[in-house]
Amino acid sequence: MNPLDPVEFRRNGHMVIDFLADYYQNIQNYPVKSQAKPGFLLESLPDCAPLHPESIETIINDVQRDIIPGITHWQSPNFFAYFASSGSTASFLGEMLINGFNVVGFNWESSPAATELEMIVMEWLLKLLQLPNCVLHGTTCEAFICTLHAARESILDHIGRENARKLAVYCSDQTHFSFQKSAKIVGINPKNIRQVSTSRSSNFKLSPRLLDEMIKKDIESGLVPVYLCVTVGTTSMAMVDPVGPLSDVSSAYNMWVHVDAAYAGTACICPEFRHFLNGVEGASSFSFNAHKWMLTNQSCCCLWVKDKSALTKSLSTNSEYLKNQATESGQVVDYKDWQIVLSRRFQALKLWMVLRSYGANGLREVIRKHVNLAKDFQMLVSADKRFEIIVPRYFSMVCFRVSPEVIGQCYDTEHEANEFNQKLLQSVNATGCVYMTHSIVGGVYFIRFVVGATLTEDRHVIMAWKLICDQATSMLCTPTPKCI
C-alpha cells in the first residue's frame, strides 16, 4: 500500500471534487440546521476502526448516508445564523494546495514561500484597510491571547511580576466571551476582567466617559489598567465602539488597545465603511477574520500589531535545533515568534488565491450585495407593524422581534414577550428551511438575521421573511389562556 500514490490521488481527488460539486448544487435542499439527535453517530458507526483498507467509494457513500444528516449547512443560502463562514471556489482550491504541500512554516527556513507570501498578502490587506503591519492567526481567540500576553509581559517588566494579580483588563458587556476566556488563560484575575455597562440609549456602544470613570476607580483601589478591547461589529448586534475616543482614554493610562473587528473588519475594505475604523492608528493591535466575510474558509484571522517587538519579545523561542543562518542574519521574519504554537499552516496561500481570483472590487461587490440584502430584509420588517427593529443596522445583520405591543394582546409581561419570540424562532428553525439565532441584551430577547453566505440571493431573503411572517401569524392567532 502506498498512502500517497499519485494515480490514486488523482482518481480519489476527482471523486471528492465531484461529490462536493453535487453537494453545493443541491445544498438548499437540505435542512439548514441538522435535525440529528444526540448520539446519532454513535448508533450508526462501528465502535472500532477497520482492520483492512476500505475504498474511497465506500467512504464517500458513508459520508452521504451518515455524515451529511449531522451537518448544519453553514454554506446554505438559507443560513442566516451567527456570523457566516463564507467560502469560495478560490479558497477551497487554495485549501487543497495548502493540504497538498503540507508544509510547516514556523520560520523562514522551514518554508521561505510560506513566510514571504504571508508578508505580501498582509501588505495587500493593509493597503485595502489602510493599516500598518499584520500577521495571520487561526482565530480571534488566538489574537486575544497573544496580544494580552504581550501587554501583560510588557507591564510586568516595569512594575514587577509580584504585581501580576493587580492587572486589570477592560471591555464592554457586549464584547465577545472569548475575550474573557483569553484573559483567564493568560493569568488575569477573573475579578479584574472589567466590563463597562452599555445601554440602548447609546446603541450599546462602549462609552469613553464610563470607561475613564471605571479606570480611575480601579486605580484608586490599587489595580493596574493594562488592556482594553474595543469592538467594531459586536456579536449580538453588530454595533461599533468609538475607536478613536476610546484609544485616547486608554493612552492616558499607557494601556494596550486591541480592536476586535472579527466580523465587520472585512466590510471596511469598502470606502463607505472605512470610517468605522477611524482612530485605529491609536490602537496597539487590530484583528479581523477573513473566514467570516472575505470568501476565505476556516480558519484565517488577520492580526495587526503596531509594535511587533512587543509581541515577539513575549512569544519568541530560540531552541538550538531551530537556529539557522537566515534567522541569525536578521533579514527574515520567523512567524513562530508571533503566535502560541510552533506549527503554522500555509494560510497565506488561500488568502492570496482569493485576493487574486476576485480582486478588491469583486470582494467589495460581495460585501455590498450582502449589505443590500440585509437592507431589503430590514425594509420588510419595518413595513410590518407587528415587528420592530431593535438597533440600527450598520452592516449585514438585522436585529428584530415581534413587538411587545402586539404580543401584549395576549401576554402581560416583557418576560412573556421574550418567550413568544423565542418560540417564534424555534418554530421557524424547526421547519429546516432557514436557520437564525438569537441574543438577549438589556433583558430583551431578539432574533438575529445575518446575511453572509456566499450563495444567498434575493429569493432566499424573501422566502425567509415569508416563513417568519407565516409562523408569527399562526402563533398570534393561537388562543392562549390570557386571551380567552
Side-chain angles (χ1 to χ4, degrees):
M1 181 181 70
N2 180 356
L4 201 52
D5 176 74
V7 175
E8 279 299 292
F9 179 76
R10 178 176 286 107
R11 187 182 75 86
N12 294 351
H14 280 298
M15 290 185 64
V16 171
I17 290 294
D18 287 342
F19 174 82
L20 287 174
D22 290 341
Y23 168 73
Y24 278 104
Q25 195 163 25
N26 298 293
I27 191 170
Q28 63 184 14
N29 297 326
Y30 294 110
V32 186
K33 183 177 181 293
S34 172
Q35 307 296 300
K37 304 297 182 183
F40 81 103
L41 267 184
L42 298 175
E43 296 173 0
S44 61
L45 295 185
D47 58 3
C48 61
L51 289 176
H52 304 291
E54 295 182 311
S55 69
I56 188 64
E57 290 87 351
T58 299
I59 296 170
I60 288 180
N61 286 337
D62 288 349
V63 169
Q64 182 67 54
R65 184 192 66 193
D66 298 322
I67 305 302
I68 291 291
I71 291 177
T72 290
H73 302 280
W74 283 66
Q75 305 307 314
S76 168
N78 298 312
F79 184 96
F80 303 106
Y82 309 110
F83 286 128
S85 177
S86 64
S88 64
T89 300
S91 180
F92 296 151
L93 296 178
E95 193 71 35
M96 288 175 63
L97 289 175
I98 292 171
N99 290 325
F101 295 141
N102 201 26
V103 304
V104 185
F106 48 80
N107 61 12
W108 182 89
E109 186 169 83
S110 67
S111 194
T115 295
E116 297 197 8
L117 186 61
E118 182 163 331
M119 295 171 70
I120 292 167
V121 168
M122 290 302 96
E123 185 64 28
W124 290 359
L125 283 175
L126 294 172
K127 289 178 179 177
L128 287 175
L129 289 166
Q130 301 170 45
L131 293 172
N133 191 13
C134 300
V135 59
L136 284 175
H137 278 248
T139 66
T140 295
C141 194
E142 290 179 47
F144 279 153
I145 291 173
C146 289
T147 54
L148 277 163
H149 183 70
R152 178 183 181 274
E153 292 299 292
S154 180
I155 192 69
L156 290 180
D157 284 344
H158 288 87
I159 68 173
R161 299 192 172 274
E162 67 276 9
N163 293 305
R165 297 290 289 178
K166 297 179 181 179
L167 301 184
V169 299
Y170 299 81
C171 62
S172 86
D173 56 9
Q174 299 303 306
T175 302
H176 195 274
F177 71 86
S178 61
F179 173 71
Q180 296 186 53
K181 179 178 181 179
S182 301
K184 292 176 183 178
I185 290 173
V186 302
I188 302 298
N189 184 342
K191 294 180 180 179
N192 296 349
I193 303 173
R194 313 288 284 145
Q195 286 189 325
V196 180
S197 297
T198 59
S199 65
R200 191 167 188 175
S201 62
S202 62
N203 289 327
F204 300 97
K205 299 176 182 179
L206 176 54
S207 164
R209 178 182 60 83
L210 294 180
L211 172 67
D212 191 51
E213 291 175 358
M214 180 177 283
I215 292 174
K216 283 184 168 67
K217 290 179 181 178
D218 287 344
I219 291 174
E220 290 175 0
S221 65
L223 296 181
V224 179
V226 63
Y227 188 108
L228 168 68
C229 180
V230 179
T231 307
V232 176
T234 57
T235 302
S236 287
M237 296 178 161
M239 295 294 97
V240 178
D241 293 334
V243 178
L246 289 168
S247 296
D248 292 340
V249 169
S250 302
S251 65
Y253 302 99
N254 198 29
M255 296 169 60
W256 184 293
V257 180
H258 179 75
V259 178
D260 170 26
Y263 156 65
T266 297
C268 295
I269 70 171
C270 298
E272 63 268 32
F273 296 114
R274 178 56 179 77
H275 68 277
F276 288 116
L277 296 184
N278 285 351
V280 71
E281 64 277 0
S284 310
S285 54
F286 167 91
S287 65
F288 80 97
N289 292 345
H291 60 252
K292 278 188 166 62
W293 206 0
M294 197 175 270
L295 303 182
T296 306
N297 58 318
Q298 294 278 347
S299 296
C300 191
C301 174
C302 303
L303 171 67
W304 159 73
V305 287
K306 178 181 289 186
D307 178 11
K308 68 177 183 180
S309 65
L311 198 64
T312 57
K313 182 179 179 182
S314 66
L315 297 171
S316 64
T317 54
N318 195 28
S319 299
E320 181 61 36
Y321 49 79
L322 295 180
K323 292 181 179 179
N324 60 84
Q325 290 184 350
T327 296
E328 297 299 325
S329 73
Q331 297 178 342
V332 301
V333 173
D334 290 342
Y335 279 125
K336 68 178 178 59
D337 298 330
W338 294 58
Q339 64 175 37
I340 302 167
V341 300
L342 177 63
S343 299
R344 301 191 91 243
R345 299 182 74 238
F346 196 171
Q347 295 280 48
L349 189 56
K350 66 182 174 187
L351 197 48
W352 180 63
M353 290 190 68
V354 168
L355 290 169
R356 291 193 62 190
S357 296
Y358 308 114
N361 287 340
L363 293 172
R364 289 172 180 138
E365 181 180 336
V366 170
I367 293 164
R368 288 166 178 152
K369 171 188 171 183
H370 289 162
V371 171
N372 287 332
L373 289 175
K375 285 181 181 178
D376 293 342
F377 183 82
Q378 181 181 18
M379 290 175 61
L380 293 169
V381 174
S382 299
D384 190 324
K385 300 305 180 184
R386 299 175 301 173
F387 293 84
E388 66 173 354
I389 302 294
I390 299 298
V391 290
R393 179 205 49 76
Y394 291 151
F395 305 103
S396 67
M397 180 166 75
V398 179
C399 301
F400 71 102
R401 66 171 177 170
V402 174
S403 169
E405 285 73 19
V406 176
I407 299 173
Q409 299 171 21
C410 302
Y411 297 89
D412 290 339
T413 68
E414 183 74 24
H415 173 71
E416 288 169 322
N418 286 350
E419 285 188 342
F420 180 92
N421 280 283
Q422 181 180 15
K423 291 175 181 177
L424 172 61
L425 177 60
Q426 290 172 347
S427 68
V428 171
N429 285 341
T431 67
C433 296
V434 301
Y435 183 34
M436 301 177 295
T437 48
H438 79 284
S439 191
I440 299 177
V441 176
V444 174
Y445 182 104
F446 58 91
I447 301 171
R448 303 165 68 259
F449 186 88
V450 187
V451 182
T454 309
L455 298 174
T456 301
E457 303 287 346
D458 294 34
R459 58 191 175 91
H460 302 110
V461 172
I462 293 170
M463 182 275 291
W465 174 242
K466 184 179 185 304
L467 179 59
I468 293 165
C469 285
D470 290 346
Q471 294 292 325
T473 297
S474 175
M475 291 176 62
L476 288 168
C477 292
T478 301
T480 67
K482 292 184 181 181
C483 292
I484 297 174

